[in-house]
Amino acid sequence: MRKISRVLTIGILLTVAYALGACDRMPVYSHYEHTSAAGWEKNDTLNFGISPVKEAGDYHEELGLRINDDYPFLGLCLIIQQTVLPSGYRHNDTLNCNLFEKNGVVKGSGIKHYQYNYHVNTIRLSAGDSLNIQVRHNMKREIMPGITDIGIRVEKR
């Protein structure tokens, strides 16, 4: 009986330690924008406005991408433009998303609708800074079918 009690106590302590560690990584911002069912147009820029942060520090930025079976290519190229306010600092990233293996096997998770997450950047912000993030595709084709949602998640490190 003591052995079971000891194992249970250790399990509870590990769960509490994990929960406390996870609290450090709460998202400051997490939001998805839908794209047109007819296809995401090249000039249709998605905008994400992140409110001023309370604490200075490093912030991890991640892009979420959702596609369906209508997406015709193995990859997707995205342009991500960021502006930190009030400083006006600008940063541009090109994100090349490999969505499928060469043999057609999906790299994302899901069935018929697939979810992908990509690290974009880690950025240092001061207390009171806000972010404006713009995302657009940079493919030769003007209208990209099969992209259903693009999201941004920002969390303090």
Side-chain angles (χ1 to χ4, degrees):
M1 190 66 138
R2 280 186 159 176
K3 197 174 202 176
I4 293 172
S5 176
R6 190 175 296 160
V7 169
L8 184 60
T9 302
I10 290 171
I12 290 171
L13 289 174
L14 288 173
T15 302
V16 169
Y18 176 76
L20 290 174
C23 291
D24 261 357
R25 298 183 121 172
M26 293 297 293
V28 178
Y29 180 84
S30 182
H31 179 74
Y32 276 82
E33 287 288 330
H34 299 291
T35 60
S36 171
W40 185 21
E41 292 188 37
K42 193 169 198 164
N43 62 359
D44 185 14
T45 301
L46 302 176
N47 291 295
F48 301 88
I50 293 95
S51 298
V53 296
K54 294 178 183 176
E55 297 179 47
D58 292 334
Y59 287 81
H60 173 82
E61 300 168 330
E62 182 175 276
L63 181 130
L65 169 65
R66 295 176 184 149
I67 65 168
N68 62 29
D69 282 338
D70 294 333
Y71 190 76
F73 300 109
L74 296 176
L76 174 67
C77 182
L78 298 172
I79 303 294
I80 302 163
Q81 298 173 308
Q82 302 178 55
T83 304
V84 178
L85 300 169
S87 71
Y89 170 76
R90 291 179 187 235
H91 182 78
N92 294 331
D93 287 298
T94 301
L95 185 61
N96 291 306
C97 307
N98 294 316
L99 307 175
F100 299 90
E101 300 288 345
K102 289 182 181 178
N103 62 1
V105 174
V106 176
K107 287 187 173 186
S109 60
I111 301 170
K112 291 198 176 235
H113 293 273
Y114 307 103
Q115 172 75 41
Y116 301 85
N117 294 304
Y118 298 97
H119 172 75
V120 175
N121 192 19
T122 300
I123 190 167
R124 181 164 292 258
L125 298 174
S126 300
D129 282 352
S130 63
L131 274 173
N132 181 297
I133 299 176
Q134 298 180 324
V135 181
R136 62 183 168 83
H137 77 79
N138 191 32
M139 301 291 282
K140 289 181 180 181
R141 192 170 182 176
E142 287 295 318
I143 298 176
M144 296 302 297
I147 299 170
T148 61
D149 304 280
I150 300 287
I152 295 291
R153 179 181 171 98
V154 178
E155 62 184 33
K156 187 168 185 318
R157 282 291 155 158

